[in-house]
Short mmCIF file of all heavy atoms in Angstrom, two decimals:
data_model
loop_
_atom_site.label_atom_id
_atom_site.label_comp_id
_atom_site.label_asym_id
_atom_site.label_seq_id
_atom_site.Cartn_x
_atom_site.Cartn_y
_atom_site.Cartn_z
N ALA A 26 -2.86 -9.38 3.36
CA ALA A 26 -1.85 -8.33 3.65
C ALA A 26 -0.81 -8.98 4.58
O ALA A 26 -1.23 -9.63 5.57
CB ALA A 26 -2.44 -7.09 4.22
N LEU A 27 0.47 -8.66 4.43
CA LEU A 27 1.55 -9.13 5.28
C LEU A 27 1.91 -7.99 6.32
O LEU A 27 2.73 -8.22 7.24
CB LEU A 27 2.77 -9.51 4.52
CG LEU A 27 2.62 -10.81 3.78
CD1 LEU A 27 3.81 -11.01 2.88
CD2 LEU A 27 2.50 -12.01 4.70
N VAL A 28 1.44 -6.90 6.14
CA VAL A 28 1.73 -5.69 7.02
C VAL A 28 0.44 -5.05 7.46
O VAL A 28 -0.52 -4.93 6.74
CB VAL A 28 2.64 -4.71 6.31
CG1 VAL A 28 1.95 -4.16 5.04
CG2 VAL A 28 3.10 -3.54 7.19
N ALA A 29 0.49 -4.60 8.74
CA ALA A 29 -0.66 -3.89 9.25
C ALA A 29 -0.82 -2.47 8.69
O ALA A 29 0.19 -1.79 8.57
CB ALA A 29 -0.67 -3.84 10.80
N LYS A 30 -1.97 -2.02 8.39
CA LYS A 30 -2.21 -0.74 7.82
C LYS A 30 -1.75 0.40 8.71
O LYS A 30 -1.14 1.40 8.28
CB LYS A 30 -3.74 -0.55 7.57
CG LYS A 30 -4.05 0.81 6.88
CD LYS A 30 -5.51 0.91 6.42
CE LYS A 30 -5.71 2.21 5.69
NZ LYS A 30 -7.17 2.36 5.34
N ASP A 31 -1.83 0.16 10.01
CA ASP A 31 -1.45 1.25 10.99
C ASP A 31 0.11 1.39 10.98
O ASP A 31 0.59 2.52 11.14
CB ASP A 31 -1.94 1.00 12.34
CG ASP A 31 -1.40 -0.27 12.97
OD1 ASP A 31 -1.26 -1.27 12.22
OD2 ASP A 31 -1.25 -0.28 14.22
N VAL A 32 0.82 0.27 10.69
CA VAL A 32 2.28 0.39 10.59
C VAL A 32 2.63 1.33 9.32
O VAL A 32 3.43 2.19 9.40
CB VAL A 32 2.87 -0.94 10.43
CG1 VAL A 32 4.44 -0.87 10.09
CG2 VAL A 32 2.73 -1.77 11.79
N LEU A 33 1.99 1.04 8.20
CA LEU A 33 2.27 1.77 7.02
C LEU A 33 1.81 3.21 7.23
O LEU A 33 2.43 4.15 6.72
CB LEU A 33 1.53 1.17 5.81
CG LEU A 33 2.07 -0.17 5.35
CD1 LEU A 33 1.04 -0.74 4.23
CD2 LEU A 33 3.42 -0.06 4.80
N ALA A 34 0.70 3.50 7.83
CA ALA A 34 0.26 4.82 8.15
C ALA A 34 1.32 5.56 8.91
O ALA A 34 1.60 6.73 8.65
CB ALA A 34 -1.10 4.77 8.88
N ARG A 35 1.90 4.97 9.99
CA ARG A 35 2.87 5.63 10.79
C ARG A 35 4.13 5.90 9.95
O ARG A 35 4.76 7.03 10.04
CB ARG A 35 3.25 4.74 11.99
CG ARG A 35 2.24 4.71 13.11
CD ARG A 35 2.84 4.24 14.36
NE ARG A 35 3.33 2.92 14.32
CZ ARG A 35 2.64 1.73 14.51
NH1 ARG A 35 1.33 1.89 14.84
NH2 ARG A 35 3.13 0.56 14.44
N LEU A 36 4.59 4.96 9.10
CA LEU A 36 5.73 5.10 8.25
C LEU A 36 5.46 6.32 7.26
O LEU A 36 6.40 7.10 7.01
CB LEU A 36 5.98 3.83 7.45
CG LEU A 36 6.56 2.70 8.26
CD1 LEU A 36 6.61 1.39 7.37
CD2 LEU A 36 7.94 2.96 8.85
N SER A 37 4.28 6.40 6.71
CA SER A 37 3.99 7.39 5.74
C SER A 37 4.00 8.84 6.35
O SER A 37 4.18 9.81 5.63
CB SER A 37 2.60 7.13 5.08
OG SER A 37 1.59 7.37 6.00
N ARG A 38 3.86 8.93 7.64
CA ARG A 38 3.91 10.20 8.32
C ARG A 38 5.36 10.64 8.52
O ARG A 38 5.61 11.83 8.86
CB ARG A 38 3.16 10.21 9.66
CG ARG A 38 1.65 10.06 9.46
CD ARG A 38 0.95 10.42 10.76
NE ARG A 38 1.02 9.34 11.72
CZ ARG A 38 0.20 8.31 11.82
NH1 ARG A 38 -0.87 8.20 10.97
NH2 ARG A 38 0.36 7.37 12.77
N ARG A 39 6.36 9.73 8.41
CA ARG A 39 7.68 9.97 8.61
C ARG A 39 8.45 10.20 7.30
O ARG A 39 9.50 10.83 7.28
CB ARG A 39 8.33 8.86 9.48
CG ARG A 39 7.60 8.68 10.80
CD ARG A 39 8.29 7.55 11.70
NE ARG A 39 9.52 7.86 12.08
CZ ARG A 39 10.31 7.07 12.87
NH1 ARG A 39 9.76 5.95 13.33
NH2 ARG A 39 11.51 7.46 13.32
N CYS A 40 8.06 9.53 6.24
CA CYS A 40 8.69 9.63 4.97
C CYS A 40 7.73 9.19 3.92
O CYS A 40 6.86 8.37 4.23
CB CYS A 40 10.04 8.94 4.91
SG CYS A 40 10.00 7.14 4.85
N PRO A 41 7.91 9.59 2.64
CA PRO A 41 7.00 9.09 1.54
C PRO A 41 7.23 7.62 1.32
O PRO A 41 8.41 7.08 1.44
CB PRO A 41 7.43 9.90 0.39
CG PRO A 41 8.78 10.50 0.66
CD PRO A 41 8.83 10.61 2.19
N LEU A 42 6.15 6.89 1.01
CA LEU A 42 6.22 5.45 0.65
C LEU A 42 5.97 5.21 -0.82
O LEU A 42 5.21 5.94 -1.38
CB LEU A 42 5.21 4.72 1.47
CG LEU A 42 5.19 4.84 3.06
CD1 LEU A 42 4.17 3.98 3.68
CD2 LEU A 42 6.59 4.63 3.60
N GLY A 43 6.52 4.20 -1.37
CA GLY A 43 6.29 3.95 -2.72
C GLY A 43 6.34 2.36 -2.98
O GLY A 43 6.84 1.61 -2.12
N ILE A 44 5.88 1.97 -4.12
CA ILE A 44 5.83 0.52 -4.49
C ILE A 44 6.53 0.36 -5.87
O ILE A 44 6.26 1.22 -6.78
CB ILE A 44 4.44 -0.01 -4.56
CG1 ILE A 44 3.81 -0.10 -3.15
CG2 ILE A 44 4.36 -1.37 -5.18
CD1 ILE A 44 2.34 -0.55 -3.14
N VAL A 45 7.38 -0.64 -6.01
CA VAL A 45 7.95 -0.95 -7.27
C VAL A 45 7.65 -2.48 -7.42
O VAL A 45 8.20 -3.30 -6.69
CB VAL A 45 9.49 -0.76 -7.32
CG1 VAL A 45 10.00 -1.13 -8.74
CG2 VAL A 45 9.75 0.66 -7.03
N THR A 46 6.79 -2.71 -8.36
CA THR A 46 6.23 -4.14 -8.50
C THR A 46 6.17 -4.58 -9.97
O THR A 46 6.08 -3.79 -10.88
CB THR A 46 4.80 -4.22 -7.90
OG1 THR A 46 4.31 -5.56 -8.10
CG2 THR A 46 3.84 -3.24 -8.49
N GLY A 47 6.30 -5.96 -10.11
CA GLY A 47 6.14 -6.47 -11.45
C GLY A 47 4.71 -6.66 -11.83
O GLY A 47 4.40 -7.16 -12.97
N ARG A 48 3.75 -6.41 -11.02
CA ARG A 48 2.39 -6.50 -11.29
C ARG A 48 1.93 -5.36 -12.30
O ARG A 48 2.45 -4.26 -12.22
CB ARG A 48 1.47 -6.37 -10.08
CG ARG A 48 1.55 -7.53 -9.12
CD ARG A 48 0.46 -7.41 -8.06
NE ARG A 48 0.57 -8.41 -7.06
CZ ARG A 48 -0.39 -9.01 -6.41
NH1 ARG A 48 -1.69 -8.64 -6.76
NH2 ARG A 48 -0.28 -9.86 -5.52
N PRO A 49 0.97 -5.66 -13.16
CA PRO A 49 0.38 -4.52 -13.98
C PRO A 49 -0.31 -3.53 -13.00
O PRO A 49 -0.81 -3.88 -11.94
CB PRO A 49 -0.66 -5.25 -14.80
CG PRO A 49 -0.27 -6.70 -14.82
CD PRO A 49 0.42 -6.90 -13.50
N ARG A 50 -0.34 -2.33 -13.43
CA ARG A 50 -0.80 -1.17 -12.60
C ARG A 50 -2.19 -1.46 -12.11
O ARG A 50 -2.48 -1.29 -10.91
CB ARG A 50 -0.76 0.13 -13.36
CG ARG A 50 -1.12 1.38 -12.54
CD ARG A 50 -1.00 2.63 -13.37
NE ARG A 50 -1.44 3.72 -12.61
CZ ARG A 50 -0.73 4.40 -11.70
NH1 ARG A 50 0.48 4.08 -11.43
NH2 ARG A 50 -1.22 5.50 -11.06
N LEU A 51 -3.13 -1.78 -12.97
CA LEU A 51 -4.53 -1.99 -12.55
C LEU A 51 -4.62 -3.05 -11.50
O LEU A 51 -5.33 -2.89 -10.46
CB LEU A 51 -5.44 -2.35 -13.79
CG LEU A 51 -6.81 -2.58 -13.44
CD1 LEU A 51 -7.54 -1.32 -12.85
CD2 LEU A 51 -7.64 -3.00 -14.75
N GLU A 52 -3.99 -4.20 -11.74
CA GLU A 52 -4.02 -5.28 -10.73
C GLU A 52 -3.45 -4.84 -9.47
O GLU A 52 -3.93 -5.19 -8.36
CB GLU A 52 -3.23 -6.47 -11.31
CG GLU A 52 -3.19 -7.69 -10.39
CD GLU A 52 -2.24 -8.78 -10.75
OE1 GLU A 52 -2.08 -8.94 -12.06
OE2 GLU A 52 -1.69 -9.49 -10.02
N ALA A 53 -2.39 -4.06 -9.47
CA ALA A 53 -1.73 -3.59 -8.27
C ALA A 53 -2.67 -2.73 -7.47
O ALA A 53 -2.91 -2.95 -6.19
CB ALA A 53 -0.43 -2.88 -8.52
N PHE A 54 -3.40 -1.87 -8.04
CA PHE A 54 -4.31 -0.89 -7.38
C PHE A 54 -5.52 -1.66 -6.91
O PHE A 54 -6.04 -1.43 -5.79
CB PHE A 54 -4.62 0.23 -8.30
CG PHE A 54 -3.72 1.38 -8.27
CD1 PHE A 54 -2.70 1.52 -9.23
CD2 PHE A 54 -3.68 2.31 -7.25
CE1 PHE A 54 -1.81 2.48 -9.23
CE2 PHE A 54 -2.76 3.36 -7.15
CZ PHE A 54 -1.78 3.41 -8.22
N VAL A 55 -6.04 -2.59 -7.67
CA VAL A 55 -7.22 -3.34 -7.25
C VAL A 55 -6.82 -4.16 -6.01
O VAL A 55 -7.73 -4.22 -5.05
CB VAL A 55 -7.68 -4.28 -8.41
CG1 VAL A 55 -8.68 -5.31 -7.89
CG2 VAL A 55 -8.31 -3.46 -9.50
N THR A 56 -5.70 -4.74 -6.00
CA THR A 56 -5.27 -5.55 -4.85
C THR A 56 -5.04 -4.65 -3.61
O THR A 56 -5.46 -5.00 -2.49
CB THR A 56 -3.99 -6.35 -5.14
OG1 THR A 56 -4.22 -7.22 -6.23
CG2 THR A 56 -3.51 -7.14 -3.96
N LEU A 57 -4.43 -3.53 -3.75
CA LEU A 57 -4.20 -2.64 -2.64
C LEU A 57 -5.57 -2.16 -2.08
O LEU A 57 -5.70 -2.09 -0.87
CB LEU A 57 -3.41 -1.38 -3.10
CG LEU A 57 -1.87 -1.65 -3.36
CD1 LEU A 57 -1.32 -0.39 -3.94
CD2 LEU A 57 -1.16 -2.12 -2.15
N ARG A 58 -6.47 -1.89 -2.97
CA ARG A 58 -7.79 -1.42 -2.48
C ARG A 58 -8.50 -2.54 -1.70
O ARG A 58 -9.13 -2.27 -0.68
CB ARG A 58 -8.68 -0.94 -3.63
CG ARG A 58 -10.04 -0.35 -3.30
CD ARG A 58 -10.71 0.22 -4.45
NE ARG A 58 -9.93 1.21 -5.22
CZ ARG A 58 -9.45 1.00 -6.42
NH1 ARG A 58 -9.73 -0.14 -7.07
NH2 ARG A 58 -8.77 1.90 -7.11
N ARG A 59 -8.41 -3.76 -2.25
CA ARG A 59 -9.17 -4.85 -1.64
C ARG A 59 -8.59 -5.21 -0.25
O ARG A 59 -9.31 -5.53 0.65
CB ARG A 59 -9.07 -6.16 -2.54
CG ARG A 59 -9.95 -7.26 -2.02
CD ARG A 59 -9.95 -8.40 -3.07
NE ARG A 59 -8.64 -8.86 -3.36
CZ ARG A 59 -7.95 -9.72 -2.67
NH1 ARG A 59 -8.49 -10.20 -1.47
NH2 ARG A 59 -6.76 -10.11 -2.92
N LEU A 60 -7.27 -5.02 -0.12
CA LEU A 60 -6.60 -5.27 1.17
C LEU A 60 -6.62 -4.06 2.10
O LEU A 60 -6.12 -4.20 3.25
CB LEU A 60 -5.21 -5.78 0.98
CG LEU A 60 -5.07 -7.03 0.12
CD1 LEU A 60 -3.57 -7.42 -0.02
CD2 LEU A 60 -5.81 -8.23 0.76
N GLY A 61 -7.22 -3.01 1.68
CA GLY A 61 -7.22 -1.84 2.54
C GLY A 61 -5.91 -0.99 2.78
O GLY A 61 -5.76 -0.33 3.68
N LEU A 62 -5.07 -1.15 1.74
CA LEU A 62 -3.76 -0.53 1.79
C LEU A 62 -3.63 0.56 0.78
O LEU A 62 -2.54 1.20 0.69
CB LEU A 62 -2.66 -1.55 1.52
CG LEU A 62 -2.63 -2.76 2.41
CD1 LEU A 62 -1.47 -3.76 2.05
CD2 LEU A 62 -2.47 -2.33 3.88
N ASP A 63 -4.66 0.98 0.09
CA ASP A 63 -4.63 2.03 -0.84
C ASP A 63 -4.53 3.36 -0.12
O ASP A 63 -4.99 3.43 1.02
CB ASP A 63 -5.83 2.03 -1.76
CG ASP A 63 -7.15 1.97 -1.05
OD1 ASP A 63 -7.30 1.31 -0.02
OD2 ASP A 63 -8.11 2.63 -1.47
N GLY A 64 -4.08 4.40 -0.83
CA GLY A 64 -4.00 5.70 -0.28
C GLY A 64 -2.79 6.00 0.64
O GLY A 64 -2.63 7.10 1.14
N LEU A 65 -1.96 4.97 0.87
CA LEU A 65 -0.75 5.13 1.67
C LEU A 65 0.54 5.33 0.96
O LEU A 65 1.52 5.73 1.54
CB LEU A 65 -0.68 3.86 2.59
CG LEU A 65 -1.74 3.53 3.55
CD1 LEU A 65 -1.68 2.16 4.14
CD2 LEU A 65 -1.78 4.65 4.65
N PHE A 66 0.50 5.08 -0.41
CA PHE A 66 1.74 5.19 -1.15
C PHE A 66 1.65 6.43 -2.13
O PHE A 66 0.68 6.63 -2.85
CB PHE A 66 1.84 3.82 -1.91
CG PHE A 66 1.96 2.65 -1.04
CD1 PHE A 66 0.78 1.91 -0.77
CD2 PHE A 66 3.13 2.33 -0.51
CE1 PHE A 66 0.84 0.86 0.13
CE2 PHE A 66 3.25 1.17 0.38
CZ PHE A 66 2.13 0.51 0.67
#
C-alpha cells in the first residue's frame, strides 16, 4: 500500500471515496482486502 489506512479513513468521513482502475474487479477487491484497504470505498 502507498497510502496509510487511517488517512483514507479520515478522507472517507469527509466525502465519499471511489476507485477507477484498469484491473479486473475480482483482482481489485482481492488486492484491497489483502492490503487492508477494503471497506473504505
Side-chain angles (χ1 to χ4, degrees):
L27 287 171
V28 60
K30 184 175 182 178
D31 63 327
V32 171
L33 291 174
R35 286 197 300 270
L36 291 172
S37 69
R38 290 192 288 269
R39 300 180 69 176
C40 70
L42 308 182
I44 290 175
V45 181
T46 177
R48 293 192 184 214
R50 182 176 176 83
L51 178 60
E52 180 189 328
F54 275 97
V55 167
T56 299
L57 290 172
R58 186 177 303 114
R59 186 173 59 80
L60 298 180
L62 302 179
D63 55 322
L65 296 169
F66 301 94

